[in-house]
Amino acid sequence: MTTAPSLDSLQQGLRNRRQVLGDAWVEQSVSNANALNVEFQRLITSYAWDSIWSRPGLDRRTRRIMVLATTAAMGRWEEFELHIRTGLMANPQQADAAPLDLETIKEVLLQTAVYAGVPAGNTGMAITLKVLRELGREPEKSSFFPAP
């Protein structure tokens, strides 16, 4: 027998999830609920998006950065891409949306490469560049060799 999450927890989790991932992503997930996955959707909404993302100990941007480092280290590239995309698309004026900038992503991936391995950093860079191109935000060219 499983215990169903409370309605309050589901509602708060959905609010958090919408703020961080955007309405379109959440609507797609919720509208695809079925007899197989509905309990899983409720679980992650209540457990991850309310119990964790509502905690006061870390701000949402820090939580998103941790998600990026963890998912890259574990090779969970679909979740990494989701948080890169929604972080880049988030309004920089809305802290609760956990917006990301290129400098932050670069630092996360450099540190990930050292602690989780160069292949993780390399794949993270490739996925980030793909998403940036899709968003029409390709980074400007830079010389490989530093200026003297």
Side-chain angles (χ1 to χ4, degrees):
M1 182 170 170
T2 61
T3 304
S6 73
L7 183 58
D8 287 345
S9 182
L10 288 172
Q11 289 172 336
Q12 181 59 48
L14 278 176
R15 277 192 296 276
N16 292 344
R17 201 172 171 189
R18 286 179 189 284
Q19 287 174 326
V20 174
L21 300 179
D23 289 330
W25 180 263
V26 175
E27 282 306 315
Q28 177 186 351
S29 296
V30 171
S31 69
N32 287 329
N34 58 50
L36 174 65
N37 68 18
V38 70
E39 288 180 40
F40 179 76
Q41 286 295 321
R42 290 176 187 151
L43 172 76
I44 62 173
T45 299
S46 176
Y47 184 57
W49 289 104
D50 180 26
S51 295
I52 298 301
W53 283 79
S54 291
R55 293 180 58 80
L58 297 171
D59 62 69
R60 290 202 179 153
R61 186 170 180 274
T62 301
R63 289 190 189 283
R64 189 187 301 269
I65 289 167
M66 291 178 66
V67 168
L68 292 176
T70 304
T71 56
M74 296 182 71
R76 303 294 196 241
W77 299 115
E78 65 291 338
E79 196 77 13
F80 176 89
E81 183 173 341
L82 169 65
H83 279 272
I84 284 289
R85 182 179 309 282
T86 56
L88 287 167
M89 293 173 61
N91 183 340
Q93 306 305 315
Q94 295 178 338
D96 281 348
L100 293 173
D101 56 73
L102 289 184
E103 282 301 310
T104 300
I105 295 168
K106 176 174 67 176
E107 292 302 323
V108 168
L109 291 172
L110 287 169
Q111 187 153 337
T112 298
V114 169
Y115 286 93
V118 171
N122 190 44
T123 301
M125 286 283 183
I127 290 170
T128 300
L129 285 170
K130 176 185 86 101
V131 170
L132 285 166
R133 287 181 184 123
E134 290 171 0
L135 297 175
R137 295 172 55 184
E138 186 161 353
E140 63 184 61
K141 293 283 186 186
S142 184
S143 175
F144 178 79
F145 295 101

